[in-house]
Amino acid sequence: MSTSSRKHKSDAVLGADGEASASPATTTNKKARVTKTSKGKKVASVEEAPVWPEYFNNLLKIFKALNTVLAFCSSRRNFAITFPVVRTSVESLLHGPLELERVAELKALLPEVVKFAYTPRAELRIHSDQHPGGHRERSPDYSAFQSANASSSRVNDDDEDEHVLVLDFIDNTRGKKKADGRLAYALPPALSPAATKKLIERRNERFTEAVNELLTATPMDEDPVALLQSAAREHIPVDPGLKRSRSGTNHNGPKGKYKVVPEPDERPSIEEVVTEIERQDWYMEQIAHRRISEAKGGQPALLDPPLPDTIAQALRDSRGITSLYTHQVAAISALRQKKNVIVSTSTASGKSVIYQVPVLQFMEADPQSTAFFIYPTKALAQDQRAALQQLLYACPGLGHIKVSTYDGDTPQEQRREVRETASVIFTNFDMIHASILPHEDAWRRFLKNLKIVAVDELHYYHGIFGSHVAQVMRRLRRVCAAVGNRHARFVSCSATISNPGQHMRNIFGIDDVEEVIEDGAPSGRKDFLVWNPPLKDPMDPTLGRTYAMTEATKIMRFLMARGVRVILFCKIRKHCELAMKALRQELTAEGRHDILGTSAGNRRDQCAGTRVDIGVLDAVIMLGLPIGGLASFRQQAGRAGRRARDALAVYVAESLPVDQHFVNNPEELFDRSTDDLIVDLESKVILEAHLQCAGHEMPLTLEDEVYFGPQMKEICETRLVKDKEGWFHTNPKYLPYPSRHVSIRGAEEEKYDVVDVSRLGRPGGAATILEEVELSRALFEVYEGAVFIHQGLTFLVQEVSHDTKMAKVVRSDVNWITEPRDFTNVDAMQTYRIREIKGSPHRAFYGRVELLTIVFGYFKIRNKAIIDAVDLDTPPWQRETTGMWLDVPKPALDLMYASGINPAEAIHSAQHAFLNRFALAVDLKTECKVPEKEYKAAVSQRKRPARLIFYEPSGRAGGVAVKAFDHVNEILREAHDRVEGCECEEGCTACVDSPSCTEGNVVASKAGALIVLKALLGQPIDVDLLPQQPGEGEGTGVHDTVVAATSVRAIDGVEVEAA
């Protein structure tokens, strides 16, 4: 066992024979602690430091020399430094040799701080062989440095070696730190001489603490020097190129009974797996919370009358189902009674049987019967189609029933055959909107005989997309009625959500809905773990925690080696690719090619994991809180344990405020209620769009209010064309195809082709399209010099053509990633409407908003540290949308400066507080404050107006911004009351933090948000209650980035609307 693991796991230090001694916490002879008073004076504690043997004084000299050299290097570049380079400088300071054994002793004393190991030479590269030219001169590459003057006891440092010995400290922080621990970001070089001196002093103090702990914990009959030397032996690095191995150095490699991955049915229990995790050397109390949901048995029920023998036989033969559960019986019975049904139960509870069985019954009674099965994703539809076909083949007399998929991938030449011959069609709402309803005359056979419309994953449809879907469903019901079919039944399935019955009524526009929420399916035991990455150095919390992705992939490898089928959910696609890249590297390094061959990534679902059906997962890992918040968290966690076996869900918390809030309040993850899913049925923008479509499908009459509601009359009379007989037709500007003017998911973006040209010029080599990337992503992922990751493999972007929308990439095993250096300005350009804020002299504004994004360069990043910066010259991306805004009053701005509150933090938190109280916030964006800008060490030239601004994403106009504007008074007051009444100290997801914040809620101030909200509402602010913090110029190291907002030009004739 390593020194590091013993020390972390028991707060103990080195003992005889590699065992941990008693913790220093149990003794009274501790090192004298020194603390600083507010005036900088030192006050010593009453405890005395132990007397040091001379050996440790000599070791301190070595450490100080090494510390000085490494601090100088880190002040210039944050690169890994090779041992020969460091050794030469240290030996010149010591006037003597630096032996490997002494460095190993330092590693044993400070395992979390000292990095002393062989590293593949390729991992020290800063530039690739195919380096695209940037505007900046290349930085020096330390992997190329060699020394000719180090002592003769050096290790092999031949240029041809595959691995290089690296000696460095892993606490090299970049930039200055504020008093509250946040970084003030700056490009290299970032450490001033004064900061370098402080870094050296802090490390020296850390060494002293470590020696005192060792001496304090060493028993009287033991020699601390001998203990240290014994422990240091395992820290002497061995060149992997020498083909030697050391026992105990690979904790995750194939060893013991897990050299071969067990079959899923033979895997250990989850309880055994968790127990084994807690015994690993790398386990350092990361499990902050554990909750166990015990297994429960199924609740079978009898269907009355029972299923026909043919269908019962099909269920038994194709799926092994011999009985139904209570929720299945309740739903099927309701459908038999001609009711519409929603089933909201846990995942893997057999919900698909609920609508598949009635379809089989309809088919037996009438072979002309048809059904729509609607799914949100193609992958899910494909899985369910295969399951239905197996069921039909197993049912006597129904094997001939044709099941087809009708989606955007269905070839045009096959669509007519599907339309004319299929009995069950798997489709989505996009196709119903744009292809089926506009051609209802060609679909009349199918629509007349439509018996079942089943919509799976109903919780997926909410916000603007759900509001469009609701109107599409009303158009479908109207057309069915027009062709003589008023008897189609509607059934939907959903994950556990609040108020599922009302959500189905909103989406389908029907009142007769039977709600089934009692889950009768069995479930296995499930363990939920809240996993908080450990501190890099428990004795120095300012170094932060280890990278959450590193922890997540470590858990994933551990589970996969034990036959646990696991999936990792990430918040964004790039994180998924980075996770796959890390998995590939780590599994390859461990020689686990058997596991590597079973892993796969899925960019669409933003996940990586074992290459298995998502329906048979044993474990789920969630990297950070999902952007969808608690509802998404519970849905992802529910993916595990879908076959009544024991299961595991692990939430790996990031260092962001939102995640750490749930680490400290884990019960909220499971017990806090979620908000109702919102569908906006009053949006005139959305309603008009679908009335134009409906008028083209079949002329409208005022009787159609039964489908489209009371606002229909006004819109038809003002926006559509009325004929002499009183029918309403589509406005000519939407013709000939109105549905093409209405995108229910938002405007279709231009796409770039990412083309792999690595094999061009080779025999038989050809270019290959890796994937298509939307413009909004391409801008940040496929600039020249970028590292593009596809299925965990790294490619370098060699050339980008904005004319042909093509990015050429070449395969390259670089060990860094790239992050764009960019900014986006969200600016109010013209005012269309002005509204009073009740009881306040201030106003809310609505109008045209301009979005301007510029990518001016990129960083090369390795291990979360910047190793290089490159400039770019890319065209700006400019687009327009609509939005609303609120200008922060000048007195409030002055008050924040006087109180030491950063206005950028205050505005950012106030924006989130506003959105947290707005029901349709999922479809409204704001200008999130970027920590790299707001805490920059240098003065920012890009000053932003003191303004809360909210806008609709470009191309997704749905009237959301105007809805927020119309209800600004209620939203502002609710936001104020929530922030003022929230019991948290620094902000939480209930008041000023948002799971969807693009910058992780780092730039935040709850007190500042309250000042802004009170000022906008015209409420008095008690200055005495404000926190007194250092103001501008008082040592924060952060410059002002916000200026007073100026008025925005209004269109002619705008009048102030009453509150």
Side-chain angles (χ1 to χ4, degrees), residues 904-914 991-993 1003-1006 1008-1009:
E905 295 176 342
I907 292 169
H908 191 200
S909 292
Q911 289 176 148
H912 283 318
F914 185 93
C991 56
V992 299
D993 285 351
V1003 183
S1005 169
K1006 180 181 178 182

Side-chain angles (χ1 to χ4, degrees), residues 494-513:
S494 169
T496 304
I497 58 176
S498 61
N499 208 349
Q502 186 58 49
H503 188 54
M504 182 173 180
R505 294 183 189 96
N506 290 339
I507 293 291
F508 286 75
I510 52 181
D511 296 323
D512 181 20
V513 174

Side-chain angles (χ1 to χ4, degrees), residues 112-113 170-173 177 199 202 206 535-537 540-546:
E112 306 91 351
V113 175
I170 62 176
D171 66 343
N172 293 334
T173 56
K177 281 203 171 186
L199 177 65
R202 188 177 77 238
R206 183 68 185 86
L535 294 169
K536 293 178 180 177
D537 183 354
D540 190 359
T542 62
L543 298 181
R545 298 185 177 273
T546 58

Side-chain angles (χ1 to χ4, degrees), residues 686-701:
I686 294 176
L687 179 56
E688 182 198 341
H690 288 276
L691 287 175
Q692 300 287 0
C693 295
H696 185 253
E697 292 153 10
M698 291 181 177
L700 290 156
T701 72

Side-chain angles (χ1 to χ4, degrees), residues 407-471:
D407 59 23
D409 294 335
T410 305
Q412 289 290 338
E413 62 272 15
Q414 295 180 14
R415 295 189 178 190
R416 179 174 179 178
E417 181 183 356
V418 170
R419 186 171 63 235
E420 294 178 352
T421 63
S423 296
V424 181
I425 289 181
F426 285 74
T427 189
N428 52 53
F429 280 109
D430 303 85
M431 296 302 290
I432 293 176
H433 160 66
S435 183
I436 295 176
L437 291 178
H439 305 285
E440 58 82 22
D441 54 331
W443 283 87
R444 289 188 179 179
R445 176 200 68 89
F446 195 94
L447 297 175
K448 283 181 180 180
N449 295 292
L450 187 63
K451 298 296 193 296
I452 290 280
V453 177
V455 180
D456 201 12
E457 307 282 341
L458 193 68
H459 58 271
Y460 186 85
Y461 306 103
H462 63 98
I464 291 299
F465 181 44
S467 303
H468 278 288
V469 165
Q471 299 300 339

